[in-house]
Amino acid sequence: MEKNELPPDVALMWRLREAPRRGPKPSLSLDDIVRAAIEIADADNDLGAVSMARVAERLGNSTMALYRHVKSKDDLLVLMSDAAIERPDPMPEGVDWRTGLTFWADNVLAAIRKHRWYAKIPISGPPAGPNNLAWFDAALGVLNGTGLPEEAKVGVVMGLITYVQGQIRVAFDLAAGYDENPAAFQQFGATLRQVADPRQYPAVARLVEAGVFDEVGNFEDESDQDFDFGLQLYLDGVAAYIDRVCQDK
């Protein structure tokens, strides 16, 4: 790669990479291909359901027609990872940084819930596509006026992204496990009572004794509560950090 040449995946997401041209003029666009791939993943709720052959079939084209636009399935996943998240909702005017980041995180959760397979896309680098960059920019913008230096803003937002993405992935995996075997979750408290010896697991035993795991309610509601609880703990830490930085100036 030349010094000023964009990485291939970035050029592809920004439509700055010349598509391979073989054979006659194509009858479909790159956006058509990405949209069809997202529809397949949505219908099956499974990223693994997407293949070049299935996308071609959905579009009524040959698989070779897709390769005139996309070199591989890996390229297609890169495009899906940016297109599915779409653009963030406009930030409400006049909000403080904490309200703004809470709004941002809640909207990330809502966006990914529309495409649950999104949580299975491998994270191979920082946000570089136009839509993902728009989300990154929105979160950074909320921190204007906090007094944080630019590099600290990046640290705050990257930490928030790590929390949000991690919480979403865990929550979706647990939800899938609950759907497959709800009894394992409903009996978790009783299971721990039998195996968690208080002498070896004193902290867990105290939770069991307090009845923390005795009832399993609406799994998605509980997941939302856990998400918000952890989010506010993280933002408490950010608030303390902002206060410390401002005091040191």
Side-chain angles (χ1 to χ4, degrees):
M1 187 173 67
E2 295 182 4
K3 183 176 180 181
N4 295 321
E5 186 179 350
L6 286 171
D9 57 340
V10 176
L12 180 63
M13 286 187 287
W14 286 86
R15 307 299 195 265
L16 297 175
R17 190 178 85 183
E18 184 178 355
R21 298 290 182 186
R22 299 195 295 267
K25 183 178 179 180
S27 60
L28 72 161
S29 70
L30 188 56
D31 289 338
D32 292 332
I33 295 169
V34 177
R35 184 167 50 252
I38 290 173
E39 289 171 354
I40 291 170
D42 285 345
D44 288 55
N45 195 25
D46 181 11
L47 187 62
V50 177
S51 67
M52 300 294 275
R54 284 197 65 183
V55 173
E57 181 182 6
R58 188 177 187 90
L59 292 168
N61 281 266
S62 68
T63 304
M64 286 304 299
L66 269 62
Y67 286 112
R68 299 190 185 111
H69 296 271
V70 185
K71 289 182 179 179
S72 66
K73 182 180 175 180
D74 287 343
D75 278 359
L76 183 56
L77 294 180
V78 166
L79 292 164
M80 291 172 67
S81 72
D82 195 64
I85 197 72
E86 299 180 342
R87 292 288 176 122
D89 290 339
M91 189 68 62
E93 293 186 10
V95 297
D96 62 89
W97 69 265
R98 183 170 189 138
T99 303
L101 289 183
T102 299
F103 175 85
W104 182 92
D106 288 342
N107 274 270
V108 172
L109 177 59
I112 296 179
R113 270 188 173 155
K114 295 177 184 177
H115 311 285
R116 289 180 175 253
W117 49 267
Y118 189 93
K120 298 296 185 182
I121 293 178
I123 300 173
S124 58
N131 289 343
N132 277 284
L133 197 60
W135 284 92
F136 191 44
D137 185 79
L140 287 170
V142 170
L143 295 170
N144 289 337
T146 59
L148 291 177
E150 296 304 315
E151 63 271 19
K153 293 177 186 176
V154 174
V156 168
V157 174
M158 291 306 296
L160 181 58
I161 290 173
T162 300
Y163 169 74
V164 171
Q165 291 276 8
Q167 186 70 11
I168 287 172
R169 288 172 185 241
V170 170
F172 285 4
D173 285 348
L174 287 175
Y178 181 83
D179 289 342
E180 184 175 333
N181 185 11
F185 288 77
Q186 293 162 356
Q187 297 168 6
F188 185 57
T191 299
L192 289 182
R193 278 191 171 85
Q194 296 183 58
V195 300
D197 187 330
R199 293 168 296 182
Q200 292 183 299
Y201 309 100
V204 172
R206 283 193 292 271
L207 291 178
V208 173
E209 185 63 27
V212 172
F213 302 115
D214 284 352
E215 293 185 14
V216 177
N218 182 294
F219 198 87
E220 194 151 294
D221 286 347
E222 290 185 357
S223 175
D224 285 348
Q225 292 168 13
D226 290 343
F227 180 86
D228 188 61
F229 179 73
L231 174 62
Q232 296 311 316
L233 285 181
Y234 178 77
L235 296 180
D236 284 345
V238 174
Y241 177 69
I242 292 173
D243 287 344
R244 186 167 69 251
V245 169
C246 292
Q247 289 172 3
D248 292 343
K249 286 187 175 182

